[in-house]
Amino acid sequence: MASAGRDGSPGKRRKGAPAQQPRTKKTHRKGTSKPNVEAGRIRLNNARPARHQVPPEKVSGKGPTFVEDGVRLQKVLAQAGVASRRGAEEMIAAGRVKVDGVVVTEQGLRIDPNTAIIHVDDARVIVDEDKQYLAFNKPKGWQSTMADDQGRPCVGDVIAERVMAGQRLFHVGRLDADTEGLLLLTNDGELAHRLMHPSYEVPKTYLATLKGEVPRGLGRQLREGIELDDGPVKVDRFSVLEVHEGQSLVRIVLHEGRNRIVRRMMDAVGFPVTKLVRTHVGTVALGEQRPGSLRVLGNDEVGALYKAVGL
């Protein structure tokens, strides 16, 4: 009985050799095995900036829109660096993935990555490499502007090369010239708007050195609120860290964004600020970042900011 040769032409079967059985095509494991839900529950989310998303939009609440010629959800997650495709399938099966605000557990659904808003563990997955999220440690004396007509050092000096390369960056809020510390820079307009808007109540944390030794009841007074020329203001949290030789070091947390609000507030209660450093915006921390330096925010930091403002 003839058998096919390697080139597909008829060949001879050796005498006494058993007849060959017709080969069956091996089915890919993706088509035969279900994703491991337990593994999906504990799998790490390794998201990093990837290639496929336009500026963030508010989740409509109408649920996800699936498109026949779209990209499979697990592929989008893999391209965003969340996990491998198989790992993404497990995370979908475990109910950790939302598309346009709705949990998706079905495998193989196709989405438009340019419009779909994807969350993993309620933190938005950033899949747009064109979006920039930076932290700047503003030194004392620098202006929170992109240019200064008096030639004083300003934020624009630090990002001049990025702007010349075509990046459009702007600062999220301001710090007055005498205040140091954390200033966020981005080209994500929706995120910046929400971070600055008081209705989203994103806390900002400051370390303030005050003239005078503060009394024990000052924190309660500030939490209850005081009246300024442009309306009432109150802190979210106030704690005294150190009192020494006529000065007090305090930590102030508030979500107000009015001009020079910390300095005006402390002036109003009789303890002027002699030094002020912003250490946090939401959960993004200044840490050990040196003055005058920029750093790119990590994906966990960006995701936390999105979550804080409901994106």
Side-chain angles (χ1 to χ4, degrees), residues 180-243:
E180 309 165 42
L182 181 60
L183 188 64
L184 301 183
L185 301 168
T186 185
N187 55 1
D188 189 333
E190 181 63 20
L191 176 64
H193 168 73
R194 294 190 181 205
L195 287 173
M196 289 186 288
H197 201 286
S199 66
Y200 291 98
E201 299 189 352
V202 177
K204 288 88 174 174
T205 304
Y206 298 83
L207 291 180
T209 302
L210 309 178
K211 186 176 181 180
E213 299 184 2
V214 299
R216 299 180 68 180
L218 181 62
R220 179 164 59 179
Q221 179 185 357
L222 293 172
R223 286 190 293 272
E224 291 175 349
I226 61 172
E227 193 71 31
L228 299 180
D229 292 340
D230 54 354
V233 61
K234 60 182 178 180
V235 303
D236 298 328
R237 292 189 293 278
F238 180 91
S239 56
V240 179
L241 304 180
E242 185 178 325
V243 177

Side-chain angles (χ1 to χ4, degrees), residues 125-168:
V125 174
I126 309 302
V127 289
D128 185 355
E129 290 180 340
D130 294 329
K131 285 285 171 268
Q132 300 291 320
Y133 306 90
L134 306 170
F136 175 54
N137 186 354
K138 189 188 88 64
K140 183 178 180 179
W142 284 52
Q143 307 297 311
S144 293
T145 58
M146 291 304 173
D148 186 76
D149 55 8
Q150 299 181 38
R152 295 171 296 184
C154 63
V155 174
D157 297 339
V158 178
I159 61 171
E161 290 186 3
R162 291 174 178 264
V163 173
M164 290 175 64
Q167 295 181 8
R168 181 179 176 271

